[in-house]
Amino acid sequence: MEVKNKYVAIKANINGAPEESDFEIKVENLSHMFEPESKEVVIKNLLVSIDPYQINRMKSQSSSQTSISYATAITPGEVIDTYGVGRVLVSHRPDFKKGDLVAGLLTWGEYTVVKEGSLLNKLDPSLAFPLSYHVGVFGFSGLAAYGGFFEVCKPKPGEKVFVSAASGSIGHLVGQYAKLLGCYVVGSAGSQEKVNFLKETVGFDDAFNYKQETDLKSALKRCFTQGIDVYFDNVGGKMLEAAVANMNSFGRVAICGVISEYTNASTRAAPDMKDIVYKRIRIQGFLAADFMPVYADFLSKTVEYLQDGKLKTIEDISQGVESIPSAFIGLFNGDNIGKKIVKVADE
């Protein structure tokens, strides 16, 4: 049996903003990977996740590359792993059989050879939702939103919550979880379309276009006349500085991502440390994998919210392996609303 696998690779390390010329489409022959003693599972990829953190793996050097196995450096020319959903094509393991739908660490390509010990789970057939939900709201994006908000921020009903990059894959879920708890929620986004989406579609109390604000501290003061209790940070940089300046005593900041800093080191945040000390503000970074112990609780509650119509998840789905580079680049240009996914193949 011979399979030609088309996949996306980087030509060289990327140390600035990604461009189309940084990527290439390559083809490899997978026939040599089908040996029975290999204990490998060959997956036909159906849907794959597009996430901004991958840019840190593409750099020649980043401190993130030594933090966790999911963030290790990507070698130019090699396949790029990501979270996704697929169907088993060939299996030499008893826990998977041909035709099983699975979710786990796949690749930016048409097929993935999953080695024993890599993250791979059968999908629950009782969850009557689109397959794409398993890449987004039931995947690491949803888990990061749920765990980062409830486990890190420890929110209380009635508290004032600010979410940056609020129309993105994680932010739009965080704001809704906060509203379901009974919090006052404001989000920032980069266009009027996204501001309208936050207020009209997912129910934020208020939102603003940060690109139209000349003073972020004043913008947050306007939105939070009584101060911020919880800040869910997806941006870093000047937005983090402005949020800290407007936080109440014993405020909590959950650092999910710092997209403003990924491609421009000059935008690094410098919050007023006196505010942090005297207001006793707690700032904590996290990774979605930290919350695997609460995954069952997260999934149960999220399924219930979706079934009851209390939670909306928005997806931006592109078609085909060839669209992966432009989908990825679009994340840094603010092109997407909701979770960015590429549909590699039909079911």
Side-chain angles (χ1 to χ4, degrees):
M1 183 177 184
E2 183 174 305
V3 171
K4 296 288 187 182
N5 179 37
K6 184 190 299 181
Y7 67 95
V8 174
I10 55 173
K11 296 177 183 178
N13 292 119
I14 304 172
N15 293 307
E19 300 177 357
E20 288 276 358
S21 58
D22 292 319
F23 299 89
E24 60 182 338
I25 305 295
K26 302 186 73 173
V27 178
E28 64 178 348
N29 187 341
L30 296 184
S31 62
H32 66 286
M33 307 298 287
F34 288 58
E35 301 300 328
E37 66 273 12
S38 68
K39 292 187 178 181
E40 293 169 336
V41 180
V42 182
I43 307 297
K44 179 181 179 181
N45 301 341
L46 301 178
L47 297 146
V48 295
S49 182
I50 309 297
D51 303 288
Y53 82 90
Q54 295 277 34
I55 194 66
N56 297 314
R57 304 183 61 208
M58 298 174 184
K59 296 176 181 178
S60 55
Q61 186 177 6
S62 173
S63 59
S64 61
Q65 294 173 0
T66 58
S67 64
I68 191 171
S69 60
Y70 302 144
T72 53
I74 293 169
T75 302
E78 298 296 317
V79 294
I80 297 170
D81 55 291
T82 188
Y83 197 75
V85 166
R87 191 178 292 278
V88 174
L89 181 66
V90 175
S91 174
H92 299 304
R93 288 170 50 180
D95 46 340
F96 296 102
K97 66 179 186 299
K98 183 177 180 179
D100 283 344
L101 281 170
V102 294
L105 279 184
L106 304 184
T107 61
W108 278 359
E110 294 180 323
Y111 297 90
T112 304
V113 178
V114 180
K115 299 183 182 298
E116 189 174 26
S118 296
L119 177 65
L120 192 68
N121 296 299
K122 289 183 185 179
L123 294 186
D124 183 351
S126 69
L127 292 179
F129 293 100
L131 277 182
S132 56
Y133 280 30
H134 294 277
V135 182
V137 67
F138 297 149
F140 282 129
S141 293
L143 184 59
Y146 182 91
F149 183 61
F150 290 106
E151 298 296 311
V152 176
C153 297
K154 303 292 185 184
K156 305 177 187 69
E159 287 195 310
K160 311 299 186 292
V161 177
F162 173 47
V163 185
S164 58
S167 65
S169 62
I170 296 172
H172 83 287
L173 297 174
V174 172
Q176 292 180 85
Y177 285 132
K179 287 298 298 178
L180 287 166
L181 184 64
C183 297
Y184 173 81
V185 183
V186 176
S188 65
S191 71
Q192 189 58 46
E193 177 192 8
K194 293 179 179 181
V195 167
N196 294 341
F197 161 76
L198 293 173
K199 294 196 289 186
E200 298 169 8
T201 302
V202 292
F204 280 50
D205 293 290
D206 202 356
F208 64 91
N209 180 353
Y210 70 89
K211 292 181 180 179
Q212 294 183 342
E213 301 291 343
T214 57
D215 186 334
L216 292 176
K217 292 180 182 178
S218 296
L220 288 175
K221 181 68 174 177
R222 182 181 73 239
C223 294
F224 293 96
T225 56
Q226 298 179 343
I228 300 169
D229 299 305
V230 169
Y231 173 38
F232 194 100
D233 187 17
N234 293 299
V235 172
K238 296 295 183 182
M239 193 68 78
L240 174 58
E241 294 175 14
V244 167
N246 281 278
M247 294 205 75
N248 293 326
S249 294
F250 301 102
R252 287 87 70 205
V253 180
I255 308 291
C256 179
V258 288
I259 194 169
S260 73
E261 303 182 29
Y262 290 162
T263 58
N264 186 351
S266 67
T267 63
R268 287 178 181 170
D272 189 329
M273 297 304 294
K274 292 189 298 296
D275 280 341
I276 294 170
V277 172
Y278 286 97
K279 293 181 182 178
R280 286 85 92 203
I281 295 170
R282 177 165 58 84
I283 300 178
Q284 181 179 334
F286 68 88
L287 300 172
D290 298 340
F291 308 122
M292 291 308 295
V294 300
Y295 185 83
D297 181 61
F298 146 70
L299 186 61
S300 173
K301 289 184 178 177
T302 301
V303 166
E304 178 185 341
Y305 291 148
L306 288 166
Q307 290 175 334
D308 292 346
K310 296 178 179 178
L311 183 72
K312 296 182 177 69
T313 182
I314 309 301
E315 299 170 335
D316 182 346
I317 301 179
S318 302
Q319 304 288 327
V321 167
E322 292 83 359
S323 73
I324 289 175
S326 61
F328 180 66
I329 292 164
L331 294 176
F332 300 92
N333 298 328
D335 293 347
N336 65 299
I337 293 180
K339 175 63 183 177
K340 188 62 190 176
I341 298 170
V342 168
K343 184 178 182 181
V344 176
D346 294 324
E347 295 181 46

